[in-house]
Amino acid sequence: MAFTLTNEFKAKADKLRAGYPRPDAALIPLLQELQKDRGFMAEEAMDALAAYLGLPYARVKAVVTFYTMFNRAPVGKYHLQVCRNISCHMAGAPGLLARLREKLAIEEGETTKDGLFTLSSVECLGACGAAPVMQVNEDYFEKLDEKKLDDLLEDMRHGRLRGMAR
Amino acid sequence: MPKITIDGKTLEVAKGTTVLTAAQQLGVHIPRYCYHPKLSISGNCRMCLVEVEKAPKLMTACSTEAADGMVVHTATDKVKAARRDVLEFLLINHPLDCPICDQAGECGLQDYYMDYSRAKSRFAQADKVRREKRRVMGPHLVLDNERCILCTRCVRFCSEVTKTSELEVMERADHSFIDAKEGRALDNDYSLNIADICPVGAWTSRDFRFKQRVWFLKKTPGVCLGCATGCLTEIHHNEGVIYRIMPRPNADTNTWLCDPGRMAYKAAQAGDRLKKGVIKNGLIDLEPALREAASRIDEHHEAAAVLGSPWLSVEDNAALARFAKDGLKTKNYSFDFDPEQGIKDGILINKDPAPNAAGARKVKAAAGGLSFKELSAKVASGEIKVLVAEARAAGLLKEELKAGGARLIVFAMNRSEIPAGAYATLPYASYFETPGTFINFQGLERRTEPTAAAAEGVKPLWAVIGKLSAYSGGSLRLESAQDALKGI
Amino acid sequence: MENILLKDKVAGLDGYFAAGGYKPLKKALGMTPADLIEEVKKSGLRGRGGAGFPTGLKWSFIPKDGQGPRYIVCNADEGEPGTFKDREVILKNPHALIEGMAIAGYAIGASRGYIYIRGEFAAEARLLEEAIADARGRGLIGANLLGSGFDFELSVHRGAGAYICGEETALLESLEGFKGQPRLKPPFPAVKGLFASPTVINNVETLAAVPTIIEKGGAWYAAIGTPKSAGTKLFCVSGPVNKPGVYELPLGVAFRELLEKHCGGLKEGKKLKAVIPGGSSVPVLTAAEAMAVALDYEALAAAGSMLGSGAVIIIDETQCMVKLLQVLARFYHHESCGQCTPCREGCGWIEKILDRLEEGRGSAADIDLLCSVADGMKGRTICPLADAMAMPVLSFVKKFRAEFEAHAAGRCCPPEPAGKH
């Protein structure tokens, strides 16, 4: 099935492009916008965007593969991104990751069968004073310990986390 | 104009000249991978690091502009160490493919390793990053990402020269690799240049792969006859077999070479190459074929016509002109070719697909003759009973021949060239086998040199015409290409 | 000393106004750009992103004449491990940044500004967008600022996950919609920056300090800190201390004071082993070196390290230096843009050697190899990422060699942190 950009997206795109003297500068914001729809970047979506912007497909693909926030496969409803860098490491990030692996029965990069959780380890999230830190979708959860992590998982399982943007 | 000193030699250079170019002018070679004179500067390979006095760090010679009073050293311990280290970094993840790699013998990694390193490997074979190997990327190329050193010459070529932008470096760090769109062939008209500019064996030519070790190849300067641009080429051959055609960069015409031009040698070595004559679709020995053709021409001496060809050399056109004037003594001949010429794709490919319209016109200037239009009209009206022409030029009169019913005697190299309805076909030597002069769209005269011998009995066209003339009882004798040029 | 950057009750526009906000902008618009630049030069303000380049001097590199647009870009791509100060400024004092950008824009003749913020800071980006909208509502952003005739447009641009975009030319590439790969210099951004136009890129903390400098004068600011390291600095302290967080203190403050007085010392009475004083890229200091050092550009350089971003990472005695270096190597390997050969290949190589050592598969020769690879990377690439990998490697090995040797001999040094898998 061919991927088509919605008129709503095109309207947003035109607005975003107007913010730059060269419209292709809006590529990254546009990709972010596009990812909101499906949660990941399909080749067809990149192709459609490339055609819409009049850019070579290879450039769009190169940008998508360069930046870590573009998901190249579907992710769960909650994308758990545990910081593994130095301050979080010292504050127990490896333990948190191990606990998540065990409780969710998945490895990093995998999604639970019910489609609820994807587990990733990520590099420094820039909140080292509140280590260890985990980003879930776009929200930060700081100063985590095992209890807080367990409660958070329960809240997510029961849909009690409100207003979380994807 | 800045004065720069490199390894003790001082030189005045134009403003904007880089250290690398200035060094080249002084005969100092600075090793490089990503730098290419016809592509933008990328500065990524770090092989060209040199020491510039007063600069705190080593500088890339490819991107550093010469400044007045700049003092550069290219062979200090610091520079040598940097080259050794950069080479080591390039080699750690490079596969040990050399024995089966087509690039072996002309590989930037091998060459510079011998020149600047010769260090033992400190990297475990098992630790090497694995990438995709042997991926067919379009009609002409195979990509081996494991061999790639990510110099991005190919990426820049496709974005800056062909402006097709098929390629990009995907991902980052040591797991980055060259990629194009899934399912889309890398089929721009210049794709084989990528195999040339790739400094390692990542991009190889599907046509050339595994055919010949490069150190066995002999190199003969050539001229591309694929169109009126007349690019200079280098023909790589061994024991009479051509293996590939490469561009011979020159300021007048070309740095690159198009893919069709590179493949032109194929016809000369094709299985349907003619060694004998063809009469009414039947192969017969050359001598009886020549006699038969001569007899048919003799039948209609005054009503015979000769057409020159923009695909033939000046010498062979001259031979045709002399055959008409001094052999047949007919006024029915034309060397009038004036097609629209000029680069049609902004790169190299000419609007005129024939290599020598200007050369044919040169013969016309000396020998006169009918305009192409006049000859066409005569052929169409039936006034001409026999037409002698080169196969592709005869194709220009296809409709007229049908209308007028003249008997067609053609010269062809390959059986596939023979026009439908030709009465007699006589083979001749290609310009890979015999020298010839061609004049390109800029008016530049260029001469081909033979790289291989023609099959036994197959002669240059002027010689075939000489024989035809002898058999048809005329007094014209052509013993050499020089004879053909007499009076022309 | 009162805080310049981190203040209470100034997050909203009303609070910011009540504290005298946007008066400096009005004052600045009444000055000539040349006088403004002179004032910033006088303040001694230096880039707070890590390099410490004098801000006024950077502004003065913008060509005085010439046609076409100029740009002021804020680098809010805060990603250097250990660093979390810019986020604090954005959350607590966003208008100081916005006002600073408007002033900087006026000083260099740029009517267009972009705040490039790391993609993960989604909430912070939204907050900044709201603050810009509020400022626009009062004529502080947009056409004809405060009736001065100077137009200034400002918007937020989110990154998408790449540490390298904190390097200013990589940031520009990213802002133009490309992969974030650093550019060759020259040309420098002041001549050919964003969209090939003259551009100044300043860190959040740098720009947020500008309004106060204009309000109180360069000389006032220069009097804070040390003669060469003027002003206050945001120190972000992470690691096992009782009160980690961001502290605004005059440059030149003693590390000991930061640790003991402000951060409440180490947790649970643990012993200090090492300190990375300026973000993960700078050379590590031993406990003894750290306890004797003052936190400013010169003192830290003299101690063989750097002030960097002011990210102070505290390492206690329970930590394994080999493991920590492996964590850092994994990071730099992950973040190398892949452009320059030494960094692209070297970061991965270093990680592999450290994996061996950490897992007890290494040998004594690996320790020297580690240093040799790091030496081969240093100073040979377009941007400093290769150096950022090499400096921790060389300093960790030099100062904690015994731990590396223990690993090479198959013994693991101090116990792993809880939950090691």
Side-chain angles (χ1 to χ4, degrees):
Chain A
M1 196 190 71
F3 181 94
T4 47
L5 299 171
T6 63
N7 287 333
E8 195 191 341
F9 175 84
K10 286 181 182 169
K12 256 189 218 166
D14 292 341
K15 218 179 129 193
L16 273 167
R17 288 162 77 181
Y20 304 89
R22 286 188 208 150
D24 61 330
L27 178 59
I28 291 169
L30 286 173
L31 285 166
Q32 286 161 339
E33 202 57 48
L34 203 53
Q35 182 164 282
K36 277 186 195 163
D37 289 345
R38 286 188 169 189
F40 71 104
M41 299 300 315
E43 306 250 333
E44 291 85 348
M46 293 184 239
D47 204 16
L49 184 62
Y52 186 63
L53 295 175
L55 297 177
Y57 172 84
R59 158 143 174 226
V60 176
K61 177 89 185 271
V63 164
V64 166
T65 61
F66 187 85
Y67 296 97
T68 55
M69 288 176 72
F70 295 119
N71 302 320
R72 268 152 315 136
V75 291
K77 186 176 176 199
Y78 299 104
H79 188 186
L80 312 180
Q81 302 152 84
V82 181
C83 173
R84 62 182 187 184
N85 214 295
I86 185 162
S87 302
C88 287
H89 174 90
M90 291 192 290
L96 292 184
L97 261 171
R99 190 168 186 85
L100 285 170
R101 275 197 295 265
E102 192 190 312
K103 292 197 77 156
L104 303 175
I106 51 172
E107 290 298 311
E108 286 155 51
E110 292 178 354
T111 301
T112 53
K113 286 205 181 86
D114 58 8
L116 215 47
F117 299 105
T118 298
L119 180 62
S120 299
S121 59
V122 296
E123 295 301 347
C124 186
L125 288 167
C128 323
V133 182
M134 173 170 78
Q135 186 171 24
V136 181
N137 301 344
E138 287 195 337
D139 294 341
Y140 277 41
F141 295 88
E142 305 180 341
K143 294 187 178 168
L144 291 171
D145 54 30
E146 290 189 355
K147 165 101 182 34
K148 271 171 105 170
L149 189 68
D150 291 351
D151 292 349
L152 196 58
L153 279 181
E154 280 311 296
D155 284 348
M156 287 188 271
R157 277 209 170 101
H158 295 98
R160 288 195 294 259
L161 274 187
R162 272 176 222 285
M164 283 201 26
R166 167 108 122 179
Chain B
M1 296 228 296
K3 249 189 202 154
I4 179 169
T5 304
I6 301 174
D7 293 347
K9 292 178 253 185
T10 301
L11 175 76
E12 200 168 319
V13 292
K15 199 176 174 294
T17 305
T18 63
V19 170
L20 189 143
T21 317
Q24 209 152 288
Q25 289 171 25
L26 283 169
V28 175
H29 179 79
I30 296 175
R32 78 297 289 270
Y33 291 110
C34 68
Y35 168 82
H36 188 283
K38 295 289 176 183
L39 300 174
S40 64
I41 300 294
S42 174
N44 65 57
C45 77
R46 318 307 288 173
M47 195 60 201
C48 71
L49 289 171
V50 292
E51 206 169 331
V52 177
E53 280 186 13
K54 288 182 197 136
K57 294 197 293 186
L58 298 179
M59 314 272 280
T60 42
C62 71
S63 66
T64 304
E65 275 185 25
D68 200 37
M70 189 182 258
V71 181
V72 177
H73 304 283
T74 77
T76 61
D77 288 346
K78 238 174 126 179
V79 173
K80 285 180 186 165
R83 285 175 186 168
R84 212 167 39 238
D85 290 344
V86 170
L87 268 169
E88 182 174 34
F89 286 127
L90 286 170
L91 286 167
I92 56 169
N93 284 312
H94 191 79
L96 290 169
D97 273 356
C98 305
I100 55 149
C101 179
D102 270 296
Q103 194 78 6
E106 53 184 12
C107 172
L109 286 172
Q110 288 181 338
D111 293 349
Y112 288 161
Y113 174 80
M114 295 309 288
D115 291 344
Y116 305 113
S117 170
R118 302 203 189 198
K120 267 192 175 171
S121 174
R122 301 191 291 171
F123 194 81
Q125 170 76 9
D127 280 346
K128 283 187 191 280
V129 174
R130 303 301 306 266
R131 297 197 188 100
E132 192 180 14
K133 296 184 77 71
R134 292 181 295 277
R135 177 167 159 207
V136 171
M137 299 283 281
H140 297 297
L141 295 169
V142 174
L143 171 62
D144 185 322
N145 255 309
E146 229 167 53
R147 295 178 186 163
C148 174
I149 57 165
L150 294 157
C151 72
T152 71
R153 278 185 179 184
C154 57
V155 174
R156 283 174 283 146
F157 178 84
C158 288
S159 84
E160 294 164 19
V161 179
T162 61
K163 300 188 169 66
T164 42
S165 301
E166 294 97 332
L167 300 175
E168 254 296 354
V169 180
M170 304 298 169
E171 308 278 345
R172 56 194 199 197
D174 57 8
H175 44 277
S176 47
F177 61 92
I178 302 287
D179 198 9
K181 186 173 170 179
E182 189 99 1
R184 161 108 158 64
L186 180 58
D187 58 358
N188 66 58
D189 284 334
Y190 297 86
S191 68
L192 275 168
N193 291 288
I194 293 171
D196 294 353
I197 61 175
C198 180
V200 299
W203 289 102
T204 48
S205 155
R206 290 176 70 183
D207 182 45
F208 180 68
R209 262 168 88 83
F210 308 133
K211 297 275 168 64
Q212 188 78 182
R213 279 307 196 179
V214 297
W215 49 85
F216 293 129
L217 292 174
K218 293 163 189 74
K219 297 168 184 180
T220 304
V223 181
C224 181
L225 306 183
C227 70
T229 303
C231 293
L232 296 185
T233 64
E234 193 173 76
I235 299 159
H236 291 194
H237 56 98
N238 186 28
E239 293 178 352
V241 180
I242 298 166
Y243 288 97
R244 64 179 179 184
I245 313 266
M246 310 279 276
R248 181 156 49 100
N250 61 98
D252 294 324
T253 316
N254 64 301
T255 298
W256 319 108
L257 197 59
C258 72
D259 292 349
R262 287 172 195 260
M263 291 299 139
Y265 81 93
K266 291 269 184 190
Q269 294 176 178
D272 73 337
R273 189 67 198 278
L274 287 170
K275 300 180 193 84
K276 296 181 172 183
V278 181
I279 303 293
K280 289 200 246 179
N281 284 330
L283 272 177
I284 62 167
D285 282 347
L286 189 55
E287 291 299 319
L290 276 164
R291 273 199 291 272
E292 173 62 15
S295 315
R296 296 290 79 80
I297 293 166
D298 278 346
E299 276 175 18
H300 299 287
H301 234 104
E302 272 95 79
V306 174
L307 177 63
S309 172
W311 280 275
L312 295 176
S313 67
V314 171
E315 293 83 350
D316 290 345
N317 270 300
L320 279 170
R322 291 209 58 198
F323 181 54
K325 278 179 57 166
D326 305 336
L328 301 177
K329 303 201 186 334
T330 173
K331 292 195 163 57
N332 295 324
Y333 60 90
S334 173
F335 292 84
D336 174 34
F337 298 95
D338 196 11
E340 195 190 343
Q341 292 191 323
I343 304 295
K344 73 172 175 188
D345 63 353
I347 308 171
L348 288 176
I349 297 176
N350 211 286
K351 289 174 196 156
D352 176 8
N356 204 24
R361 279 203 306 280
K362 193 175 173 186
V363 171
K364 178 191 165 200
L370 302 176
S371 74
F372 185 77
K373 231 173 155 183
E374 287 164 340
L375 185 69
S376 311
K378 286 190 173 194
V379 172
S381 71
E383 191 188 324
I384 303 295
K385 302 295 180 202
V386 182
L387 178 70
V388 178
E390 180 271 333
R392 282 162 292 184
L396 301 172
L397 291 176
K398 198 171 154 195
E399 296 306 317
E400 289 82 355
L401 282 164
K402 224 193 215 166
R407 216 167 231 163
L408 179 60
I409 292 169
V410 294
F411 306 103
M413 287 188 292
N414 295 70
R415 193 142 195 181
S416 60
E417 276 183 357
I418 303 175
Y423 179 81
T425 304
L426 300 169
Y428 67 99
S430 80
Y431 298 106
F432 292 107
E433 297 142 358
T434 187
T437 306
F438 291 81
I439 302 172
N440 83 345
F441 78 119
Q442 298 157 305
L444 298 170
E445 224 175 85
R446 290 167 166 188
R447 209 168 146 76
T448 65
E449 280 181 41
T451 54
E456 206 183 324
V458 176
K459 299 275 182 256
L461 189 56
W462 58 262
V464 179
I465 292 165
K467 277 206 157 175
L468 203 55
S469 179
Y471 283 130
S472 65
S475 59
L476 177 68
R477 294 289 177 274
L478 297 175
E479 300 299 332
S480 68
Q482 285 314 308
D483 283 353
L485 289 169
K486 265 178 207 154
I488 299 293
Chain C
M1 194 215 71
E2 69 172 307
N3 280 1
I4 294 170
L5 300 163
L6 299 183
K7 298 179 188 175
D8 291 329
K9 298 179 196 159
V10 293
L13 186 53
D14 290 333
Y16 190 69
F17 266 132
Y22 288 106
K23 275 186 195 151
L25 175 61
K26 196 170 166 73
K27 183 177 172 187
L29 292 171
M31 295 165 70
T32 67
D35 287 347
L36 257 182
I37 293 174
E38 209 41 51
E39 205 58 42
V40 174
K41 275 188 183 168
K42 217 186 282 172
S43 76
L45 177 64
R46 293 166 67 171
R48 303 295 196 226
F53 194 83
T55 306
L57 191 59
K58 196 174 199 180
W59 292 8
S60 73
F61 290 155
I62 293 287
K64 299 284 171 293
D65 34 23
Q67 301 288 306
R70 289 122 188 252
Y71 295 98
I72 174 80
V73 175
C74 170
N75 184 346
D77 190 56
E78 183 164 55
E80 172 78 8
T83 315
F84 49 100
K85 64 191 178 66
D86 296 337
R87 181 176 181 231
E88 195 84 351
V89 173
I90 291 165
L91 290 172
K92 289 193 171 157
N93 200 1
H95 286 284
L97 170 60
I98 294 166
E99 186 177 11
M101 286 197 75
I103 295 171
Y106 175 70
I108 64 163
S111 283
R112 187 70 174 92
Y114 292 95
I115 301 174
Y116 184 101
I117 187 165
R118 63 177 296 176
E120 291 85 348
F121 284 174
E124 291 77 3
R126 281 193 294 273
L127 192 149
L128 271 174
E129 273 166 356
E130 284 161 19
I132 291 170
D134 289 349
R136 189 188 305 279
R138 307 259 189 114
L140 300 162
I141 290 292
N144 191 18
L145 293 197
L146 301 168
S148 64
F150 173 64
D151 303 334
F152 188 68
E153 268 308 321
L154 180 62
S155 58
V156 178
H157 182 105
R158 269 177 76 193
Y163 164 73
I164 191 60
C165 293
E167 195 279 341
E168 60 181 20
T169 59
L171 184 153
L172 296 178
E173 285 288 301
S174 183
L175 188 43
E176 291 183 10
F178 294 94
K179 296 186 285 180
Q181 294 193 317
R183 296 175 180 172
L184 288 169
K185 286 167 282 204
F188 290 92
V191 178
K192 200 176 168 192
L194 186 61
F195 306 117
S197 299
T199 303
V200 163
I201 303 125
N202 283 143
N203 174 257
V204 173
E205 188 186 346
T206 314
L207 286 162
V210 167
T212 309
I213 289 170
I214 297 309
E215 184 198 347
K216 301 196 172 176
W220 174 86
Y221 188 84
I224 306 168
T226 74
K228 283 187 175 172
S229 294
T232 63
K233 174 83 192 80
L234 299 179
F235 294 99
C236 13
V237 186
S238 65
V241 293
N242 282 310
K243 288 188 285 175
V246 184
Y247 297 91
E248 182 173 0
L249 298 166
L251 278 164
V253 65
F255 167 75
R256 179 188 289 275
E257 183 189 327
L258 176 68
L259 176 66
E260 290 173 355
K261 186 173 154 200
H262 299 283
C263 298
L266 269 80
K267 266 186 188 167
E268 298 146 19
K270 281 175 180 163
K271 234 179 97 194
L272 183 68
K273 174 151 100 179
V275 177
I276 305 176
S280 68
S281 307
V282 310
V284 68
L285 298 176
T286 63
E289 287 169 333
M291 291 310 266
V293 83
L295 300 174
D296 61 65
Y297 296 102
E298 290 69 35
L300 279 163
S305 188
M306 285 189 264
L307 178 69
S309 60
V312 182
I313 303 168
I314 306 293
I315 299 167
D316 72 42
E317 63 195 331
T318 65
Q319 297 295 330
C320 165
M321 296 308 275
V322 181
K323 180 75 203 176
L324 292 187
L325 188 59
Q326 183 197 22
V327 167
L328 292 183
R330 186 177 57 191
F331 166 69
Y332 289 108
H333 180 202
H334 186 257
E335 300 298 339
S336 166
C337 84
Q339 195 177 194
C340 300
T341 305
C343 176
R344 179 183 67 233
E345 306 294 338
C347 287
W349 193 359
I350 282 178
E351 193 193 344
K352 280 169 182 158
I353 301 167
L354 283 164
D355 286 348
R356 285 206 291 273
L357 284 168
E358 224 294 308
E359 292 160 17
R361 296 181 285 117
S363 68
D366 280 335
I367 303 171
D368 293 327
L369 181 60
L370 204 54
C371 297
S372 165
V373 174
D375 271 328
M377 294 166 66
K378 243 174 63 174
R380 290 172 179 169
T381 50
I382 293 173
C383 88
L385 197 139
D387 293 19
M389 171 79 275
M391 288 190 292
V393 168
L394 295 169
S395 62
F396 270 60
V397 173
K398 186 176 163 200
K399 294 177 182 177
F400 299 94
R401 193 170 180 107
E403 291 189 32
F404 288 82
E405 282 167 352
H407 276 264
R411 296 190 306 276
C412 194
C413 58
E416 283 298 319
K420 150 87 173 117
H421 58 278

